[in-house]
Amino acid sequence: MQRSAMSSPQFWLLASSFGICGLTTSGLFQTHLIPHGIEHGFTEMTMAMSLGVMGAADVFGTILSGWLCDRYGKRWPLAFYYLVRGATLIVLPSIDSTGQLMLFSIIYGMNWLSTIPATSALTADLFGKQNVGVVFGWFCFAHQIGAAIAAYSAGYVDSLMGDYHLAFVASGLFAFVATGIVVFIKEPQTVSASHIS
């Protein structure tokens, strides 16, 4: 099944989008958000609180994502998540107050893991529930490659240019690319959740 999945364009579309997911989340934020905030005059405590707010919002956003995918399909919610993520990343360098930072943290936090319910459910729909483990495992591999690229390249950009502005804007543009990639995924027709008792 692994070779069969890899021969499908749908595999590479999902793998690419999930690689960008890693590039725009864990590799970027868990490594560079606090240094970025400190460079912009925020205290370490404020930045830690920002990550805490993101984590709390993430719980709600992930559950909401699953609910939306069960009722409205997976592809369009997933495309919307990447679109919102791209917009928030491009706005981030211009944030200069604690209030703006916390609002950003709520919006971005709700979007943090919202891609996982949609991507894993699409994996099951496209490649069969019995193959989710191995196929989604490859997608997670792509995710971590994206995360590693972001962790290194954002640090390199900061050391070269003196700030993270370009790194966050570029990541936002990559999220827009992921939006376009997801649009080309052919989502199988499934029974609406409203018809399931």
Side-chain angles (χ1 to χ4, degrees):
M1 177 59 203
Q2 180 175 309
R3 290 182 180 177
S4 175
M6 287 184 171
S7 68
S8 167
Q10 307 302 309
F11 177 92
W12 294 105
L13 289 172
L14 265 179
S16 299
S17 65
F18 211 49
I20 293 174
C21 180
L23 188 144
T24 54
T25 54
S26 54
L28 183 67
F29 269 67
Q30 290 175 320
T31 310
H32 299 291
L33 179 64
I34 290 177
H36 163 76
I38 292 171
E39 286 180 358
H40 279 251
F42 294 105
T43 66
E44 292 179 4
M45 182 59 71
T46 299
M47 296 312 300
M49 186 168 59
S50 170
L51 282 175
V53 170
M54 283 183 197
D58 177 38
V59 173
F60 178 75
T62 304
I63 294 170
L64 178 62
S65 173
W67 185 88
L68 289 171
C69 290
D70 283 344
R71 283 152 183 81
Y72 303 107
K74 295 89 178 176
R75 183 173 56 133
W76 291 111
L78 184 58
F80 177 73
Y81 303 152
Y82 284 122
L83 183 67
V84 172
R85 183 179 297 175
T88 54
L89 285 168
I90 289 172
V91 167
L92 177 60
S94 64
I95 289 175
D96 58 8
S97 72
T98 301
Q100 291 175 350
L101 179 64
M102 294 306 145
L103 179 60
F104 165 86
S105 300
I106 292 169
I107 297 171
Y108 185 89
M110 286 186 64
N111 194 267
W112 187 294
L113 294 182
S114 60
T115 57
I116 293 180
T119 303
S120 60
L122 272 172
T123 304
D125 288 348
L126 291 167
F127 304 104
K129 293 179 181 178
Q130 71 278 13
N131 301 306
V132 169
V134 66
V135 177
F136 192 67
W138 279 109
F139 294 158
C140 289
F141 176 68
H143 186 279
Q144 294 310 101
I145 290 176
I149 291 171
Y152 176 81
S153 60
Y156 180 76
V157 166
D158 181 63
S159 65
L160 193 66
M161 306 190 71
D163 61 46
Y164 287 101
H165 187 101
L166 179 60
F168 285 116
V169 170
S171 295
L173 295 176
F174 270 110
F176 290 155
V177 170
T179 301
I181 290 172
V182 169
V183 168
F184 285 102
I185 294 172
K186 295 178 180 177
E187 185 174 1
Q189 295 296 318
T190 56
V191 178
S192 173
S194 63
H195 296 118
I196 300 174
S197 57

